C-alpha cells in the first residue's frame, strides 16, 4: 500500500512540476500551440487546400523575406530598440539591385555582395546615432523610413525596372534538383528534410542529457515537443517533395535560422545583447561595450533587410517604387507574436520564426477563404494586440 501511495504522490508531483513549468513558459508553448490550432482551422475551413504541396510551397516563398528580416528584428527588439526603416531599406536595396543588374548589366553575384554591404552600412549608420548619441531608435529609424522611401522613387525614376537575370531569380524561384531523378517526387529534398529533422532531434537530446540547456523542463514535455517538431519537419518535407522539392530560399532560411540560433544561445555576443535589453546600465558597468554592440545589432538588421530586398525582388522579377511598404509592420508583429517582450531582453529566434509563420498562415488562409484585405488587416492587428496584452499580463503575474 505504501508503494502505491508513494507512486501516486510521485505522479502527482510530476504533474505539478509539469503544470508549473507550463505556467512559467506559457509564451513558448503558447505560440507553438497557436500555430498548430491556426493551421488546423484553415486546413479544415479550406477543405485541405492549406497543406497541399503547391500551397505550402507558395506559403514559404511568400513569407521568406519576412522570416529573414524577423531574425534581425528579434535582436533589435531584444536589445530594447525598434527599427521602422526595414521595409524602406528592403525596397531601396531591391531598386539598387535592379539598376545594377538590369540597367548596367553588372554580375548578379557582385551585385548581391554590394547590396548586402550597402544594407550593412545603412544599418550601421542608423545604429551609430542610436548607440553613441542616444537618439531614440524610433526617431532615427522613422527618419530612415522616410529617407529610403524617397530614395526608392529617386533611383527608379518612379518606374518599375526588370526583369532580372534568370540566375538571380533562382534565389526565390529555384528548387533543389533531384539527383535521384524520381518521377513526381523529389527524393533528395525529402532525404534532406528528414535528415535535418533527425539531426535537430539528436542534438536536442544530446544537450538535454549532457546537462546543457534548460533542465527545468519535465522530460516528458521535452521529448514530446522534440518529437512533434521532428515529425512536422518530416511531414512538411514529404509534402514539398511531392511538388517540386525544397525551394532554394528555404535552404537559405534554414541556414540563417541555425546560425542565429547558435549566436543567441551559444556565444558571448548573443548573451550580451540580451543583457543590454535587460538592463543597459548594468551591462555597461559589467564591462560590455554597449554602444558598439548596439551599432552592430542595427548593422546586422540592415544586412538582413538587404537580403530580404534581394529575395523579394527576385520573386517578383521586378523592382517597384512601392516595394517594401508596411513590410516593417509585418516583421515587427512577427517578432512580438513570437514571444519577444516590448521591454527588451526576452525573445528567441525560433519564436520569431513561428510568429512569422503565424502571420503567413493567417494571410494565406484568409486569402483562400476569400476574406477581404480590410478584414485581414483588422484581424492581424487584433492578433498583435492580443500578443502584447498577453505579454503584459504574463509579466504582471510573474
Amino acid at each position: 500500500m505504501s508503494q502505491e501511495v508513494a507512486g501516486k504522490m510521485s505522479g502527482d508531483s510530476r504533474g505539478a512540476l509539469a503544470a508549473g513549468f507550463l505556467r512559467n513558459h506559457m509564451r513558448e508553448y503558447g505560440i507553438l500551440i497557436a500555430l498548430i490550432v491556426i493551421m488546423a482551422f484553415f486546413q479544415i475551413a479550406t477543405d485541405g487546400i492549406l497543406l497541399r504541396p503547391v500551397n505550402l510551397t507558395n506559403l514559404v516563398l511568400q513569407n521568406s523575406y519576412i522570416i529573414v528580416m524577423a531574425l534581425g528584428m528579434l535582436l533589435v527588439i531584444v536589445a530594447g530598440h525598434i527599427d521602422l526603416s526595414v521595409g524602406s531599406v528592403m525596397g531601396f536595396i531591391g531598386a539598387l539591385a535592379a539598376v545594377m543588374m538590369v540597367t548596367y548589366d553588372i554580375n548578379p553575384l557582385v551585385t548581391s555582395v554590394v547590396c548586402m554591404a550597402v544594407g550593412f552600412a545603412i544599418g550601421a549608420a542608423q545604429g551609430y546615432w542610436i548607440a553613441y548619441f542616444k537618439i531614440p531608435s524610433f526617431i532615427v529609424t522613422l527618419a530612415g523610413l522616410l529617407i529610403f522611401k524617397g530614395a526608392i522613387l529617386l533611383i527608379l525614376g518612379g518606374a518599375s525596372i526588370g526583369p532580372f537575370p534568370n540566375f538571380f531569380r533562382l534565389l526565390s524561384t529555384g528548387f533543389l534538383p533531384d539527383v535521384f531523378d524520381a518521377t513526381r517526387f523529389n527524393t533528395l529534398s525529402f532525404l534532406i528534410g528528414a535528415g535535418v529533422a533527425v539531426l535537430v532531434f539528436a542534438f536536442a537530446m544530446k544537450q538535454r542529457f549532457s546537462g546543457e540547456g534548460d533542465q527545468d523542463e519535465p522530460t516528458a514535455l521535452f521529448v514530446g515537443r522534440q518529437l512533434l517538431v521532428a515529425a512536422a519537419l518530416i511531414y512538411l518535407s514529404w509534402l514539398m517533395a511531392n511538388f517540386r522539392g525544397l525551394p532554394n530560399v528555404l535552404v537559405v532560411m534554414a541556414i540563417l535560422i541555425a546560425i542565429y540560433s547558435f549566436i543567441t544561445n551559444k556565444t558571448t555576443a548573443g548573451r550580451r545583447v540580451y543583457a543590454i535589453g535587460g538592463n543597459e546600465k548594468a551591462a555597461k558597468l559589467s564591462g560590455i561595450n554597449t554602444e558598439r554592440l548596439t551599432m552592430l545589432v542595427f548593422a546586422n538588421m540592415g544586412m538582413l533587410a538587404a537580403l530580404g530586398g534581394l529575395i523579394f525582388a527576385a520573386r517578383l522579377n521586378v523592382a517597384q517604387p512601392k516595394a517594401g511598404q508596411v513590410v516593417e509592420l509585418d516583421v515587427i508583429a512577427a517578432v512580438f507574436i513570437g514571444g519577444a517582450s516590448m521591454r527588451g531582453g526576452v525573445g528567441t529566434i525560433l519564436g520569431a520564426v513561428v510568429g512569422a509563420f503565424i502571420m503567413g498562415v493567417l494571410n494565406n488562409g484568409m486569402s483562400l477563404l476569400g476574406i477581404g484585405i480590410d478584414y485581414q488587416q483588422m484581424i492581424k492587428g487584433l492578433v498583435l494586440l492580443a500578443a502584447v496584452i498577453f505579454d503584459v499580463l504574463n509579466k504582471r503575474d510573474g
Side-chain angles (χ1 to χ4, degrees), residues 116-371:
M116 296 280 284
V118 170
F120 185 89
I122 290 171
Q126 294 188 132
Y128 175 78
W129 294 106
I130 295 164
Y132 291 96
F133 288 84
K134 305 304 178 185
I135 302 175
S137 57
F138 181 91
I139 300 300
V140 174
T141 58
L142 178 61
L145 181 152
L146 298 173
I147 291 169
F148 292 104
K149 184 178 290 186
I152 295 171
L153 297 173
L154 179 65
I155 197 171
L156 291 179
S160 298
I161 295 181
F164 289 103
N166 289 332
F167 177 75
F168 176 72
R169 292 182 60 203
L170 290 177
L171 175 63
S172 277
T173 62
F175 294 81
L176 290 182
D178 188 6
V179 296
F180 297 99
D181 197 26
T183 304
R184 299 190 62 185
F185 186 83
N186 194 314
T187 308
L188 177 62
S189 291
F190 176 72
L191 291 177
I192 290 175
V196 168
V198 172
L199 286 175
V200 168
F201 182 80
F203 182 73
M205 291 296 107
K206 177 179 179 296
Q207 278 195 310
R208 172 73 179 193
F209 296 107
S210 64
E212 300 179 25
D214 187 1
Q215 298 297 312
D216 294 332
E217 184 176 10
T219 302
L221 282 176
F222 176 81
V223 174
R225 179 164 59 88
Q226 298 303 327
L227 286 173
L228 178 64
V229 171
L233 289 174
I234 292 173
Y235 179 61
L236 294 177
S237 299
W238 180 80
L239 287 176
M240 285 190 284
N242 274 288
F243 178 50
R244 296 179 62 184
L246 298 177
N248 292 337
V249 72
L250 180 59
V251 177
V252 173
M253 284 164 44
I255 293 172
L256 288 175
I257 291 169
I259 291 173
Y260 281 91
S261 294
F262 177 80
I263 290 173
T264 54
N265 293 320
K266 298 295 183 181
T267 67
T268 301
R271 289 191 290 270
R272 286 177 174 176
V273 172
Y274 283 86
I276 292 174
N279 190 323
E280 185 174 359
K281 289 183 179 179
K284 191 170 183 64
L285 289 173
S286 68
I288 298 175
N289 190 333
T290 57
E291 291 85 3
R292 182 177 64 185
L293 191 56
T294 298
M295 187 177 75
L296 287 175
V297 165
F298 278 92
N300 174 75
M301 181 71 259
M303 182 179 66
L304 290 180
L307 178 56
L310 294 174
I311 292 172
F312 185 76
R315 179 172 170 268
L316 290 186
N317 197 27
V318 66
Q320 299 176 335
K322 292 185 177 181
Q325 288 190 7
V326 305
V327 166
E328 61 276 354
L329 302 183
D330 283 340
V331 175
I332 293 170
V335 175
F336 281 129
I337 291 171
S341 172
M342 57 187 178
R343 297 174 181 83
V346 176
T348 64
I349 291 295
L350 291 180
V353 173
V354 173
F357 270 114
I358 287 176
M359 295 291 288
V361 172
L362 282 173
N363 286 331
N364 185 262
M366 289 188 291
S367 296
L368 291 174
L369 293 177
I371 297 175

